[in-house]
Amino acid sequence: MSFDPYGDDVLSGDWRAAGRTVLADVHAVIDLVVELPEGAGADNAAGFVGAVVRVDAGNVHLEDRHGRVRVFPLGAGFLVEGAPVRLIAPTAPVAPAGRARTASGSFAVADARARVARASRIWVEGRHDAELVEQVWGDDLRLEGVVVEQLEGVDHLAEMLVDFSPSPGRRVGVLVDHWVPGSKEVRLVEQAIERVDARHVLAIGHPFIDIWQAVRPAVVGIEAWPDVPRGQDWKTGTCRALGWPHETAADRAAAWRRIRGSVRGYADLDPALLGRVEQLIDFVTVE
């Protein structure tokens, strides 16, 4: 007999993979139906079945047939058509045929007319903030009848709030830059809200010095947004550090067009901005 009990090298090849299931990577595209298997963990996740409605910040949002949305981390632990898979982020936002989505990730409403503007408003600090919000949430805002206005700096918030006189059905949502504990911005906002009925004002913000930083660096083609020393104009210092023209206002305007032109939708923005804008829209559209 030619059988040699010592002839096979048990360490040859990938011996560590023996008996191990290799999971297929599946892109979490919109409307993909996903199931959480039995024994998937706590919080009643086992057996949950839902369609992908959003992917952001390493998470997948699944909506079940009752309209309930739950959020789970991307990765292993899911079933697609009964087979275990590893969910990964899609290479680009994908919308299914017949169910177009807006840049914010919500379902587009075909042939929808803009609603007559509400009395409530969303205020942002400057033109670049307003342009980015319009670019990503514009369709949603028109459908809801929400107007976005510029503050031209949080320094003007107190007088604008007094003139506006917030009240039920006349709410104000304020998006503030550099919203961090102890900042000048937080102090000015707190002082301003004390002068009106605070129940009808929601002021929240993102931690970035400027709205430019809310765009993910990789989208712009850079590794990270540079640190600009205190005392320097942030936009000028950023352009200089990146090797972009920076001497004139026209140079900085061109830089913004370059940055904004790289944004195709919500997935290109930092979650720290996404959640804040969605929260403001909800606040000013409450009936």
Side-chain angles (χ1 to χ4, degrees), residues 12-249:
S12 64
D14 187 6
W15 58 273
R16 291 179 295 264
R20 187 175 62 196
T21 301
V22 178
L23 298 180
D25 287 342
V26 174
H27 289 101
V29 297
I30 301 303
D31 279 354
L32 175 72
V33 177
V34 177
E35 180 182 355
L36 275 295
E38 296 296 329
D43 195 24
N44 299 317
F48 183 85
V49 179
V52 175
V53 293
R54 186 170 179 174
V55 176
D56 60 17
N59 296 315
V60 59
H61 300 238
L62 302 179
E63 181 179 0
D64 70 9
R65 62 188 181 89
H66 301 292
R68 295 173 298 197
V69 177
R70 298 189 62 178
V71 182
F72 302 95
L74 288 169
F78 299 95
L79 299 177
V80 172
E81 295 183 353
V85 301
R86 181 188 298 106
L87 283 187
I88 60 176
T91 54
V94 177
R99 301 189 72 186
R101 287 184 176 269
T102 67
S104 70
S106 61
F107 285 118
V109 179
D111 302 322
R113 292 185 177 183
R115 174 173 171 164
V116 175
R118 296 172 184 264
S120 298
R121 293 288 188 268
I122 290 178
W123 292 347
V124 298
E125 288 207 47
R127 182 169 62 86
H128 292 180
D129 307 72
E131 289 175 345
L132 190 61
V133 169
E134 161 61 27
Q135 181 165 328
V136 177
W137 287 274
D139 290 338
D140 308 66
L141 294 171
R142 282 183 287 277
L143 191 64
E144 294 289 350
V146 177
V147 175
V148 176
E149 298 177 343
Q150 300 174 39
L151 283 171
E152 299 299 344
V154 74
D155 309 71
H156 305 293
L157 179 60
E159 58 188 271
M160 288 186 66
L161 280 176
V162 171
D163 289 343
F164 189 83
S165 187
S167 61
R170 189 176 171 82
R171 293 181 154 202
V172 178
V174 188
L175 181 67
V176 185
D177 297 341
H178 198 220
W179 189 256
V180 294
S183 69
K184 178 194 75 172
E185 290 79 3
V186 171
R187 185 175 67 255
L188 288 172
V189 168
E190 290 175 345
Q191 293 171 354
I193 292 179
E194 289 177 354
R195 301 178 60 181
V196 296
D197 190 336
R199 294 174 299 173
H200 310 300
V201 180
L202 175 62
I204 53 179
H206 55 74
F208 311 116
I209 295 173
D210 192 276
I211 197 69
W212 290 17
Q213 290 178 302
V215 179
R216 295 194 299 109
V219 173
V220 187
I222 60 178
E223 292 187 1
W225 289 106
D227 291 325
V228 177
R230 292 176 64 88
Q232 290 188 23
D233 176 73
W234 189 88
K235 290 184 174 70
T236 301
T238 294
C239 292
R240 181 188 297 114
L242 294 175
W244 298 351
H246 59 274
E247 297 291 345
T248 67

